[in-house]
Amino acid sequence: MNQTKYFIIDFDSTFTQVEALDVLAEISLKDNENQANAIEEIKSITDQGMDGGMSFRESLKKRLDIVNANQKDLPELVDRLSKLVSPSFQRNTAFIDKYRDQIYIVSNGFKDFIVPIVSKFGIKEENVFANEFIYNEAGAIIGFDEENMLSANNGKPNQIASLNLKGEVFVLGDGYTDYEIKKAGLAHKFYAFTENVRREKILNEADHEAPSLDEFLFSQKLERAHSYPKNRIKALILENIHEGAIQRLKNEGYQVEIYPAGMTEDELAKAIKDVSVLGIRSKTQVTKKVLDNAKRLLSVGAFCIGTNQIDLNAALKKGVAVFNAPFSNTRSVVELALAEIIMLMRNLPDKMSEMHKGKWNKSANGSFEVRGKTLGIIGYGKIGSQLSILAESIGINVQYYDLEEKLALGNATACPSMEHLLKSSDIVSVHVDGREENKLIIGPSEFELMKHGVVFVNLSRGHVVDVDALAQYIESGKIHGASVDVFPEEPLSNDHPFQSPLMGMKNTILTPHVGGSTLEAQENIADFVPSKIIEYINTGSTTNSVNFPNITLPTLSQAHRFIHIHKNEPGILAEINNILAKHGINIGGQYLKTNDIIGYVITDIDKNYQEEVIKDLKLVQGTLRFRVLY
């Protein structure tokens, strides 16, 4: 017969991310010029108390003396702490709701602020055991109830003993006072909670480490937000991706490993073995070899527009969803293209270089207005079409060529061929994607077709232009000026050298692939790409995936969601449904989308299931990947 399970949960640095008295000190001492030193002293005393280096009562008295707070400070404290509840507790409210009668908050903190916070999560006030402040007539906090057993040493063991819990007792906390419950023989197991703070001394005493509540619930096979603890999801983030993305993934509970540069194929093949989420920009090549070594990979995030650095078909066959940022840096690239067009028409790169060398060359020779000139845009996608609008707004005539029929914006006109565009444009700007078919679409014959004195801009992909030919036509004078932001071979990091035949050319702007490198663009990308990856992992939605069939799913309202990725072969959906029927499982909702390579089916069920169901579904012929969402 299963015993009742009881859960003893600490408050400071466990239920919340911080020590409440530290936050109270920030509030009460906000006008004190020694606030920073006082807070550091409080933190030091807290750590001594948590590690067992100081008696708890002594620690508490010292901290309250420094805090010097008032009852009127508590509403702000409650408001701040409510926003700092640990993420894994916020996402596992189903556990709290189900076990509310068996969950106890046992804290050396104070009921005065703990109850208002935990009660919002459904935890019973009578199940909260903590100290209580003593106030004077002016509302100043002058001490605490010293009759309360939690104000003394061994307070938590004594409190648990008084509850006389009949069943298995599990303690989740970050400090020595939490370990004392297990040490006294009053708990079945002590889990050191390390989502917010890691105390090595406490870890050495713990039965298990719990990097999040998800991990604890997973180990105990209890109600949880997801079938797999988020702290077990490892994200590898390369190439100096914006801190906002890293923080977003950390807040979700993932382990995040950061590498500041790109990786070679061999380096990445070695590093990716236990990675679930990979984040890259443009330098890192995600090849079939890399993917063959990825044993746990769920998703790749390209923190840029292009995805030609990723073998999308190999990822698809592996059941790995790829997401990019198709819109987030469009404006940044367009602004750079327009700025460089103006600079090149005015011959500014040479003039700026001469000025830095002390040469004053005031002349209008080789300098032209852009107004009335014709801009030819090759590739009328998101960037090309936006460049069209901005260029026209300052008086430039715009024409474009695209392999697909595209609606002209403003007064732009479509060219019947690229040859027509090249012959009739004063400025040529390339904005095509990185597909293999676009390799070297601009070479000697294309440069030969262009007008004498043309301005040429490439902010698309390095392999679409023959840079040796470009250098020759700049040298000959046929090309009046050129701007290049992307190159066939680019350094893996800022520490690696750059080489190009375009170096030192007249009226030539070379930039280190920074078309989308503005703070605004990087912040947008850092928000967009992680949100798509997290949504995919949490719900199965593949909206905006560049390789998976796109499915937008409703929020999970049934008990469980099965995600089945398989080869697109006849009869697999029927086999999946036969297995569910065999196990007596009714389908609450089902969603299917296919492409030429895979089928992607999501099934919501409204009841618990046996492990045999999972085994059978994984054995379906053609299965690429299967996972369960709660």
Side-chain angles (χ1 to χ4, degrees):
M1 182 177 178
N2 291 332
Q3 287 186 302
T4 301
K5 292 185 177 183
Y6 295 94
F7 309 98
I8 312 302
I9 300 173
D10 185 31
F11 182 77
D12 292 292
S13 296
T14 298
F15 195 90
T16 59
Q17 301 171 52
V18 293
E19 294 289 323
L21 290 186
D22 294 352
V23 180
L24 182 57
E26 292 175 6
I27 297 167
S28 65
L29 300 174
K30 59 187 174 186
D31 297 323
N32 190 317
E33 61 182 14
N34 294 317
Q35 182 200 53
N37 292 334
I39 290 172
E40 283 305 310
E41 187 176 356
I42 290 169
K43 288 180 178 179
S44 174
I45 296 169
T46 298
D47 286 339
Q48 292 178 61
M50 290 297 101
D51 289 340
M54 180 186 296
S55 72
F56 174 73
R57 182 164 287 183
E58 181 185 4
S59 163
L60 190 57
K61 285 181 177 179
K62 285 187 174 182
R63 283 182 286 165
L64 285 182
D65 285 344
I66 299 170
V67 168
N68 192 28
N70 191 285
Q71 192 172 16
K72 69 179 187 299
D73 296 321
L74 296 186
E76 183 177 348
L77 175 64
V78 169
D79 181 61
R80 286 203 198 181
L81 293 178
S82 296
K83 297 172 183 175
L84 292 170
V85 173
S86 297
S88 64
F89 277 86
Q90 293 185 48
R91 61 178 174 260
N92 282 291
T93 53
F95 158 71
I96 298 173
D97 185 62
K98 184 173 181 178
Y99 295 97
R100 67 177 65 217
D101 291 332
Q102 296 139 256
I103 294 175
Y104 293 83
I105 300 293
V106 180
S107 171
N108 296 124
F110 292 85
K111 271 190 175 184
D112 308 59
F113 54 77
I114 294 175
V115 169
I117 294 166
V118 301
S119 60
K120 294 177 184 177
F121 288 79
I123 293 173
K124 296 180 174 181
E125 182 174 353
E126 59 265 33
N127 284 8
V128 177
F129 295 91
N131 287 298
E132 294 181 69
F133 288 129
I134 294 176
Y135 309 92
N136 65 15
E137 292 180 358
I141 297 171
I142 57 173
F144 51 88
D145 178 9
E146 297 194 18
E147 296 299 314
N148 188 324
M149 63 181 73
L150 285 165
S151 71
N153 291 343
N154 290 309
K156 287 188 177 182
N158 292 334
Q159 184 67 72
I160 300 303
S162 72
L163 295 175
N164 196 27
L165 302 175
K166 303 295 184 183
E168 291 184 307
V169 176
F170 298 89
V171 178
L172 193 66
D174 66 286
Y176 188 80
T177 57
D178 304 301
Y179 161 66
E180 285 181 328
I181 301 171
K182 170 65 187 303
K183 184 180 179 182
L186 295 166
H188 180 67
K189 285 186 179 179
F190 166 55
Y191 284 77
F193 190 76
T194 57
E195 184 171 348
N196 305 309
V197 63
R198 187 180 183 87
R199 306 183 197 278
E200 294 298 332
K201 186 174 179 180
I202 307 307
L203 277 169
N204 293 335
E205 304 289 358
D207 297 295
H208 300 283
E209 178 181 358
S212 67
L213 183 59
D214 306 90
E215 177 68 30
F216 170 72
L217 300 180
F218 185 79
S219 69
Q220 291 297 318
K221 298 183 178 179
L222 297 168
E223 194 80 18
R224 55 195 180 275
H226 299 277
S227 60
Y228 196 71
K230 294 196 172 187
N231 59 274
R232 294 191 181 189
I233 295 176
K234 181 178 178 181
L236 175 61
I237 306 300
L238 311 181
E239 302 187 56
N240 281 321
I241 287 169
H242 191 276
E243 176 62 30
I246 294 165
Q247 199 56 52
R248 182 80 185 270
L249 296 170
K250 285 182 176 179
N251 289 345
E252 191 65 16
Y254 301 164
Q255 294 181 56
V256 181
E257 181 180 337
I258 303 165
Y259 188 78
M263 283 188 176
T264 65
E265 184 181 52
D266 287 340
E267 288 172 338
L268 186 55
K270 183 178 180 181
I272 205 169
K273 289 181 180 178
D274 61 345
V275 169
S276 299
V277 175
L278 175 65
I280 62 167
R281 294 178 75 180
S282 57
K283 295 182 177 65
T284 302
Q285 301 295 309
V286 183
T287 63
K288 183 178 184 300
K289 176 181 175 180
V290 169
L291 291 162
D292 285 344
N293 281 274
K295 306 304 179 187
R296 298 173 61 181
L297 192 62
L298 295 173
S299 181
V300 175
F303 286 73
C304 51
I305 293 177
T307 55
N308 59 294
Q309 70 277 39
I310 303 166
D311 189 329
L312 296 178
N313 276 340
L316 188 61
K317 292 174 182 177
K318 188 83 174 178
V320 175
V322 177
F323 298 90
N324 69 335
F327 311 105
S328 300
N329 64 1
T330 299
R331 177 72 184 201
S332 296
V333 176
V334 168
E335 286 186 2
L336 182 63
L338 190 57
E340 292 183 335
I341 287 168
I342 295 170
M343 290 179 69
L344 293 169
M345 290 293 288
R346 296 291 297 271
N347 198 25
L348 290 181
D350 286 353
K351 286 182 168 59
M352 289 187 292
S353 177
E354 289 174 345
M355 287 290 287
H356 280 286
K357 295 174 183 176
K359 184 177 180 181
W360 184 273
N361 183 13
K362 179 176 170 60
S363 169
N365 290 335
S367 296
F368 308 94
E369 289 186 353
V370 294
R371 181 177 52 175
K373 303 299 187 296
T374 298
L375 166 64
I377 300 173
I378 301 174
Y380 204 65
K382 299 175 184 70
I383 292 174
S385 59
Q386 289 300 305
L387 175 59
S388 169
I389 293 171
L390 283 181
E392 187 179 318
S393 72
I394 61 171
I396 298 176
N397 302 317
V398 179
Q399 58 184 12
Y400 66 89
Y401 173 74
D402 198 291
L403 290 175
E404 300 176 11
E405 187 173 344
K406 297 287 180 68
L407 176 67
L409 301 179
N411 294 314
T413 58
C415 290
S417 66
M418 190 162 78
E419 179 180 349
H420 179 278
L421 180 144
L422 296 174
K423 287 181 175 180
S424 56
S425 297
D426 301 304
I427 307 152
V428 174
S429 192
V430 184
H431 299 284
V432 299
D433 61 33
R435 71 185 75 178
E436 185 63 25
E437 293 83 351
N438 285 332
K439 186 174 183 179
L440 298 179
I441 60 169
I442 305 294
S445 58
E446 286 73 29
F447 288 124
E448 197 61 41
L449 291 171
M450 296 180 193
K451 286 184 175 183
H452 187 84
V454 69
V455 162
F456 179 78
V457 176
N458 180 24
L459 279 78
S460 60
R461 297 290 180 274
H463 68 265
V464 306
V465 175
D466 183 335
V467 291
D468 291 314
L470 175 58
Q472 292 172 15
Y473 280 88
I474 295 172
E475 185 69 32
S476 72
K478 178 164 188 177
I479 294 178
H480 172 69
S483 171
V484 181
D485 185 51
V486 287
F487 303 87
E489 295 181 6
E490 297 182 358
L492 283 174
S493 75
N494 293 344
D495 296 327
H496 291 78
F498 166 72
Q499 290 292 327
S500 172
L502 300 174
M503 293 166 65
M505 294 266 116
K506 289 185 177 181
N507 201 27
T508 298
I509 300 172
L510 303 182
T511 49
H513 205 147
V514 293
S517 296
T518 62
L519 287 178
E520 293 89 346
Q522 294 309 305
E523 286 172 359
N524 289 337
I525 293 170
D527 179 66
F528 185 84
V529 177
S531 71
K532 293 303 172 186
I533 292 172
I534 291 166
E535 184 181 25
Y536 171 63
I537 291 175
N538 288 354
T539 72
S541 287
T542 54
T543 310
N544 292 114
S545 172
V546 294
N547 66 333
F548 260 51
N550 274 212
I551 297 181
T552 301
L553 295 168
T555 302
L556 178 60
S557 59
Q558 306 294 330
H560 306 285
R561 176 169 284 173
F562 292 163
I563 307 289
H564 196 281
I565 306 167
H566 53 267
K567 296 177 183 176
N568 188 7
E569 297 174 352
I572 292 182
L573 180 60
E575 188 174 351
I576 290 171
N577 290 341
N578 286 337
I579 290 170
L580 297 175
K582 182 181 76 172
H583 289 278
I585 294 175
N586 185 51
I587 296 173
Q590 194 167 58
Y591 315 87
L592 170 68
K593 204 83 176 278
T594 64
N595 60 22
D596 292 341
I597 297 175
I598 69 162
Y600 185 56
V601 61
I602 297 93
T603 305
D604 289 351
I605 64 172
D606 59 4
K607 60 179 286 186
N608 287 326
Y609 58 88
Q610 301 297 319
E611 288 300 319
E612 287 73 16
V613 178
I614 305 303
K615 292 178 183 177
D616 289 350
L617 289 171
K618 286 182 177 179
L619 290 174
V620 170
Q621 187 70 29
T623 298
L624 298 172
R625 187 180 293 276
F626 177 85
R627 60 191 180 100
V628 180
L629 302 182
Y630 274 76

